[in-house]
Structure formats: C-alpha cells, structure tokens
Amino acid sequence: MAVIERMTAERPPATIALTIDGRRVEVEAGATVLDAVNRLAIPLPQLCKDPDRPPLGACRTCLVHVEGQRGVPAACHLPAREGMVIETEHPEAVRIRAGVLELTRAMLTPREGSDGFGQLGVACAAHGVTAPAEAPLHRFEVDASKSFFLLDREACILCGRCTVACDDVQLIGAITLGGRGHATRVGVFDDGLLANSVCTSCGQCVAACPTGALSPKEAPAPVARRVETTCPYCGVGCAIVSQVRADGRLAIMADDVPANGSSEGMLCVKGRFGTGFVHSRERVTTPLVKRDGRWHEATWEEALETAAAGLARHRGRFGALASAKATNEDGYVVQKFCRVVMGTNDVDHCTRLCHSPSVEAMLASMGSGATSNSYVDYETAGCLLIVGADASANHPVIAVRFRRAMRNGARVVVVNPRRIELCEQADLWIQPRPGTDVTLFNAMARVILDEGLADLDFIARRTEGFDAWRASLAAFTLEGAAARTGVRAEAIAQAARWYAKPPFAGSCLVWGMGITQHVNGIHNAHALLNLALVTGQLGFTGAGISPLRGQNNVQGCGDAGCIPTNLPGYQAYDDQTLARFERAWGVRPPAQPGRVVTEMVEDCLTGGTRAMYVVGENPLLSEPDLHHAEKAIGQLDFLVVQDLFMHETAERAHVFLPAAAFAEKEGTFTNSERRVQRVRRVLDPPGLARADWWITGELAQRVGRHVGLEVARQFSYESAAQIFDEMARLTPFLGGISHARLDREGGLQWPCPTPEHPGTRFLYAESFPRGRARFVPALQTVEAAELPDPDFPFLLNTGRLLYHWHGGTLTRRVQGLLELAPRLEIAMHPADARRLGVETGARIRLASRRGELTGHARVTEAVRPGALFVPFVKLGESAANFLTNSAFDPGSKIPEYKVCAVRVERLPA
Ligand code: SF4
Ligand code: SF4
C-alpha cells in the first residue's frame, strides 16, 4: 500500500532537575513543582487540579515548603526551577495544609449513604482532620434527576473542576458556578434540574469532582482492579479504563488512559456508564440446542457437534454474518472458517448496511476504503464540511472535536435535512431536499471550478479522469441546483468557497449514513470524493476524508476479511494472493467474490441459502422491511446464532452458542481513524460463555471432520495474540502490529507495515494505493425509491439516539440508559402536528406499505414539514425497520434505510 507521512519524533525538551523530599527528579522545562511531585507519586493533596488540565489554583491544598523561601506556595502554580529543594512534609506546610483542609471540610455536610468526600476525604484523613463538631446548615436539595449520577452541593468546595470539564473539555456548558459570595453554587442555569438542562450525562464532571459532590448513583464499593481497554460501542473507539469493583462488577469507566488513545480523556454517556449490560441477568450463558421447537441446555460438545453437523449438511448453500462488535481476531477466524472449511466467500457484516457505498467509492477512486485523516485533524482544520452525520448522537466524542474546531475558528458547514444539534453552532446549515445530494455536491464543484478555487497542480500530478468529470458537471448550474435542492444559491457557493479555501490549514470532509443509505448511495459518495480531489483537500495535516464508522469495530471487521469481495486486508482474489493464503491456510480460498448479506437473506427464499452462521448480529432487527426478512430467515433449514443475548434472530435458531462480552476476552478493535487498540479481559465470562474466536475455531474443526477436511491445526489457536500475528503476517498494512507492541506503545494507526514503523497519522501524502486518484462522475440524482403519495403522505427518515446504540440489544439492558430514553419518540414538525391534532407525548401509529409501529410524538422544528424522524432502536415492540424499504443501491447493495413513505394515525391516549 502506498502512503503516507510518518509521524515525526519531536526533539526531546530540556529538563530541569530538582529535589523533593530528598529524592531527585527531572521534569521538562515549563513543568510545575506539582508535576514533579506527581512524577514521584508523592501523595500531596491537589483537589482542584485535573491531571489533563492547566491548574486552577482554587483549593490551596497543594502547599509545599521551598528551601530558602518564606511561606508555603501552592505547588500547582510554582514553576519548577533547576536545583530547587522542596519539602512536602515540612511541618509548616503540613500545618497550613491541615488548616485549609479543616476549613474546607467544615463547609460540607455528608450525605447519607455516601462513602465520604472522595479525594478530600482521603486528604483529610492523611492530615488528621476530622468532621466538625457541628455540621453546617443544610441548604441545598440533592439533584438526583439524572439516571447515572447526582449533584450534592453540600459536598461541593467550589473548586470549579466540574464546570471546566463541562465547558472546556466537553464544550457543552450545562453547568456553571452561579450566585455570588456565600451563595455561590454549582448548578444549571436558573437553578433548574440537570435533567432539564443540555447535560448529556457524559460524566466528565463526575470524573473530575474531587469531593463526590458529583458522584455516581451506584452503591459505592472499592475498585479492585483498573485495566486499560476500548469502548465497545461506537466507531470512535475511545480508550477507557475498566474499573472492576471488589464485588466483581464493572464500575463506571475511567478516562485516564495515558498514551496513544483516541479519546484524550473524553467519554460519552454510553462509554462511561453504559457497560453494565455485561452483568445482565438476560445473558445466555449455556449452549442451547433446539429440539421439538424448544430450547434445551447442552454441553459445548453437544451444541458444537449439532451445529457442525447442520452446517456441514448445507455446505455450498451457506452464508455467514460476522460481527462488527466483536474483535478483529474473532472476525478473522469467522472469515477463515467460511473460506477454508465452508468453501465460500459468502461472509459479510454490517458495513453493508452503513458505509458500503463509501467503501466501494473510495476503493474505486483511491484504492483504499478507510478514513484518511486522524481525529486530531478535525481540531486543526480550517473548515469542516459535515454531511449527513449527527455526531452529537452517534459519535459524541467526535462531536466534541467538532466543537473544539469551531472554538479554534474553523468554518463549519453542516449538510443535513434535520436540524441536528451541530446546526446551532455551525457557520452554515444547508438543508437540501431529500435525494438531491448529488446535485448539491456537483453544484459546489462547479463553483470551485468556475471561481478558480480548484487545486490544478494537485489535479495534474495526482489524479485522472478530470476532464470527463468536469464535462459531466455541465448541467449542474448554481441556479438549477438551488431550484432542485431548495438551498439558496449563495449558501451553496459559500459552502464551496469555505471548503476549497478554508481560512487556515485544510478542510476535513466528514460524512455519515445520511448520504450512504440511499438507492444512489455510491453516487453520493463519489460526488463527495470528487470535491476532495478537485480541491486537493486530503493528504496533509488538518485535511482529509472521513466516513464516520458506526459500530466499534466495523473498520476492523472489514480489515480482517469479513467481506465477500476481498480477502483480509482488502486483498483481491488474484492468483498470487490466493496462492499466498493457500500456503498459510493449507486450503486455497475460492476465487469468486461471495454474496453480500442482503443477497444471502434474499436467497433464503429461493433455496440458495439453506444454512446461516450469525455471529453477534441480529438481522431481524437490522434488516430493512422486517416482515420480509422474517419470512426469508424463516425458510432456513439450519441457523446457528452466537451472541450474548437471545434476540429476534436467535429465537429462530437451531443452536445458540453463548459468547463472551468485550470485557471478558482479549483482542483488538480498530476504530474509525484506523487505530488498532487493545481489548483486555477484566472479568471471567459468565457460566459457559466463551470468546467468539474459540467457539468458531472449535466449530471449524468439527465441520472440517464432517466434510473430510483436516483443519485442526488451522483452528487450534491458543490465544487472541496468536490469531492477530497470523492476520498481520497475511495483511501487509498490519504487518508491524502485534499485541505485544500495542501493550508497550498503546494504539497504532495502520498502515504500519513493519515493527519499527510508527503508524500512519494520515493517508495519501504522496500517492494513492491505486497510483492516481480517479474522478468518477456522479450523475444519478434519484430522489428515493419510494416517495410520499396520497396514501402514505409523510417522508420517514431514520437514525440513532445518543442514549441507545443501534437496535438497542445492549443499551436496553442498561437501566440508566433506558431511563434517559425510555420510549420511542417520533419527531414531527409543528405544522403537521397541528393539522393532525397531535401534541408532544401523544401516541401515534406510523404505517408504511410493509408494516407499522407505534410511538410517541415529539413536536419539533428540527424536521421539515412533511417529514418524520424515528430512531432505529427497538423500544417495546416497535422497530423502525418494520417500515423501511429494502430497495437497494445496485452498486453497493446498501438498502435505502433513510427514506420511505408512511402515514400517521393518532391513537387513543
Ligand atoms: S455530565 Fe457532562 S454534560 Fe452533564 S454536567 Fe457533567 S460534564 Fe456537563
Ligand atoms: S464516543 Fe463512542 S467510543 Fe467514545 S465513549 Fe462514546 S460510545 Fe464509546
């Protein structure tokens, strides 16, 4: 793979040596004495100092003695100087610190059931400070309106760490220090409840609070172990610290991962509070075999043998769905099982349902299907063009980076038919009519060309197909586009100008499923990529192209080969590659591309698919037109499901194989910026549950025996690390990565071809994997396969919610998330609501040509008149995919989830 700019090593800074409590320590120039104290792990109180933030100097508890100086300065504001001699235990420093702590402690009233005052309680105990004889007057009610944490102002020392966390880290601004003098207090605007504020429950303030004034609601218990791992939810792939309590349960996740993480200390509500699903009583922890229509508990031997016999019977009419929630190692073994034992390339995963148009278009234009930039580039970019992506709901930590970009002065253009949260802060919100994206992007390209904003040098040196593409734009005049898209001509032109010539640095083009889940999804993606090529906005710092990946490991699942069109590492089925895999696997993989998931499901109706192996997926919630999908899956002769929970698809299976959750196994995930990160086992799997790679390996050996293939050696893995090593040997861009290296260095971004390679921050600095990038004319401007008509007069749009993940299989098992979003809400414009006599909260039924769902109206101007929005999550019996249309993009085979026609009916309360 051609690439790349290597990350340059920075020159080591000059160091300063000082002595603290008789020990010599070196720190970088510019460090404070507190930095030096912490380097030696000396337990000095520092209540208002966040390890990742500049000092506030508000609590005055880090007082130290400096030899040769009078007084006891605060270490957090004392610059370290060569030769300084510091004493933290000097009697004067200890005496004054104790006084400060005593005064601080005397202001607070302990709450019943709390386990003390956090870091303040620890510091008081160390300084012999006890509770005052008389507790101060109780002045404030506890705000327990949020599901995961509470605010107890009686335990607040007004250090301001929480407001900094909310304002400067998450850039949300939900809480502030209000009032004056003695009446100063932390809270939301107008002394309201947190639940009624813009608070997103991210928990950044809870993690920062040094006294427990902001504290989790879960019953306190000491943390027994802390293990670095990776969030199991979205493609941002935040590095997190699993905290295991003494009672064996996961506590809330911490964010203080030291290096090479992707989150930089930020998490969202799901990552910080939402991992309790691993302890759900609904976990299936024993293998199950169905006999006479009923589930029976089985031994692993019995279940695996039954599964193997059933799958072997249908070799040749078989398909597999791998899991983008499972690890790279899990995915690698699933695709190897399909190719080596089942003799088929019919293996796919959920990328088909979210970003297959992006991947197909990028492969055609650039030769690689991955995000080209890193997350940090969003913050250094001079312009962000964010298309069809609601990061605040889907990728909250990336939304923080977008907000940082705005703070840094970047121009932000949002293209979205809905008024998403980012629209409030963006410089420009473009709301094109549904299905007119190609017209919009082509008109922007015309502006760039007509106004001389194209990067002609880049085009000449690095691309091909320019002239034909330019000619294809003839019909896309600014005026015509304005009429067709409903967007003002000046707004289209302004977006083009900012993107082509940002005020500083480069431009990042970011898109989501708003443009991919359409029958012309691949044309939408090409139209966007052409914008990047005509302006040369990729291949340097602060520029790039980013399809925001949905699930935690959707990037890695594709990298590992769980796609029917390519071998691991997106390698083609050419003779040379097939021979290399044959040498490694002992069996030559089939040379023909396999079927994608939508084709496999469709073929259930014709007998082309008789058996399926579904790992960590629930197609009977995620497929479009669910009644049709149910009918298709119902035709299968044999179905094996491997998962954590019994779900809609699993209920129809013949064998259920219980899998370990992310916290119960070793492995790696690869996030949206190509960063391979470790996933670590912190808990034992419950009951008989096992890691996916182990289950698939055992299954493969047994199917092998049934079909006369000796593959025991190929599937007898002893560890996830061994699997990764095999995958890395066969996948050039992963060649320099191993578990051992990730453990030493933290996450690494591919391409990383050799053990010495530092990883790749951004792609395409010098060349593209296919040589020159290709302009591909994008002309298909079909509005949608199904548009409103008198019978179904509303246009339905679907998407995700902040508090639930996809269909909600995991998040519905987390009580606090369920409390934050307990029911299905359908967004409707006030004009439509008035006409239908519907108010917020009213029960309504939506019906399409394929099915119906019931939910509660939410009247909002965030949607256009005539449009409705419903999230994917299944709450109660309602799921959006009973309504959606299975019409798909012929190029990428993605279904048109985003648009279908429905009617609305008000139901009795
Ligand atoms: S939970 Fe997050 S959004 Fe809410 S107040 Fe705390 S930092 Fe702000
Ligand atoms: S942004 Fe995504 S990866 Fe990060 S904590 Fe939230 S769900 Fe997890």
Side-chain angles (χ1 to χ4, degrees), residues 331-374:
Y332 177 81
V333 180
V334 170
Q335 62 82 34
K336 184 176 172 184
F337 162 61
C338 294
R339 292 181 164 120
V340 169
V341 181
M342 299 304 287
T344 180
N345 288 319
D346 290 347
V347 56
D348 207 356
H349 71 289
C350 70
T351 192
R352 190 67 42 206
L353 308 179
C354 55
H355 266 301
S356 54
S358 313
V359 173
E360 300 289 335
M362 289 192 293
L363 283 169
S365 279
M366 282 95 187
S368 167
T371 289
S372 74
N373 54 277
S374 292

Side-chain angles (χ1 to χ4, degrees), residues 481-535:
R484 190 163 161 73
T485 61
V487 179
R488 286 181 303 111
E490 184 47 38
I492 299 173
Q494 185 62 73
R497 289 174 198 137
W498 277 336
Y499 178 70
K501 297 286 176 208
F504 54 89
S507 293
C508 282
L509 173 55
V510 186
W511 70 97
M513 291 181 284
I515 65 144
T516 57
Q517 291 179 333
H518 290 283
V519 285
N520 66 337
I522 205 162
H523 290 259
N524 286 340
H526 272 303
L528 279 178
L529 296 177
N530 292 335
L531 285 177
L533 295 181
V534 73
T535 54

